[in-house]
Amino acid sequence: AGDLARASRLAGSIVPDPLPQPEGWLPIAEEIEGETLGRIRLAIYGSDWSNAAELIAMEMANASGRAYRLIKLHLLDAVMQHRKGQRNAAHRSLRKALQLSEPGGYVRVMIDEGGDILTLLQEEYAALQESPSGGESRLGPSRVYLELLLNAAGRSPGASSSTGHRPLEALTDREKEILVFLANGVSNKEMASR
């Protein structure tokens, strides 16, 4: 949520797993998210570039054959490069993530990384549209996949990166009703009976 101090305090309270994992193993929770990716994010958002780069490189060396993990690491590298002002490096890392994610049709993993990635995706889309091939490239992501990602993030393909973020889907009437109950301080028991 952008509260770096709170995130740092929370990360400091994480107790490392006392049992070492066998070489090349990763706990299932860490495969998707977890402490390591959180520490990388903290380093990036705290502008600790050398620590972030070192953590990413170390994790890349251990992520062989783990597509989701590699996608996440390339995205985090893209965010770091983008924040450092290294646009070309940011786009190279993003393209690597896109190359790994497009065949599996990954969406959430891409857009969950937030504004930096969404800005880069919009720039990729704009560059693809301006290319001589008319929007298709054999080396990069497809126009269709970029449009899927941007639409899922609530950003219109080709719109400026300052476009507001919309939710992925509208709330149902039932979800809205529950939110009204919550806002009015209705207890769980009372909500269930209603």
Side-chain angles (χ1 to χ4, degrees):
D3 188 347
L4 187 60
R6 182 168 184 242
S8 294
R9 284 192 308 275
L10 287 171
S13 69
I14 296 172
V15 178
D17 190 351
L19 300 174
Q21 296 293 321
E23 184 68 31
W25 285 38
L26 212 66
I28 231 167
E30 184 68 29
E31 180 74 35
I32 304 299
E33 272 301 328
E35 176 187 355
T36 306
L37 295 180
R39 291 197 189 282
I40 293 170
R41 280 191 195 92
L42 279 175
I44 290 169
Y45 289 96
S47 301
D48 185 356
W49 310 129
S50 60
N51 186 30
E54 184 180 320
L55 289 169
I56 290 170
M58 192 169 55
E59 287 302 306
M60 287 273 194
N62 295 325
S64 178
R66 294 184 169 115
Y68 188 94
R69 186 87 169 166
L70 285 169
I71 292 166
K72 211 47 145 160
L73 291 167
H74 284 300
L75 289 173
L76 289 170
D77 187 58
V79 170
M80 179 180 70
Q81 299 301 338
H82 183 255
R83 289 184 166 261
K84 286 172 52 179
Q86 303 293 320
R87 309 297 279 188
N88 290 336
H91 281 281
R92 275 193 304 275
S93 290
L94 177 67
R95 283 188 212 107
K96 289 176 186 174
L98 288 165
Q99 185 179 27
L100 290 167
S101 66
E102 186 171 9
Y106 289 95
V107 174
R108 294 267 13 153
V109 67
M110 299 296 292
I111 63 176
D112 279 351
E113 281 307 319
D116 291 302
I117 293 299
L118 296 178
T119 298
L120 291 170
L121 286 170
Q122 285 180 302
E123 291 171 4
E124 280 293 316
Y125 185 79
L128 194 61
Q129 293 300 97
E130 294 168 5
S131 71
S133 64
E136 289 300 327
S137 169
R138 299 190 69 173
L139 301 174
S142 72
R143 178 184 52 78
V144 172
Y145 185 54
L146 287 172
E147 286 174 351
L148 171 73
L149 293 172
L150 291 169
N151 284 325
R155 298 220 178 162
S156 177
S160 73
S161 59
S162 62
T163 304
H165 183 77
R166 296 187 324 256
L168 293 176
E169 56 189 52
L171 294 174
T172 66
D173 290 339
R174 187 69 178 148
E175 289 168 331
K176 290 176 189 173
E177 186 180 345
I178 298 297
L179 285 175
V180 170
F181 288 153
L182 287 171
N184 291 325
V186 176
S187 71
N188 288 345
K189 189 175 183 178
E190 180 64 23
M191 268 192 266
S193 68
R194 288 186 188 185

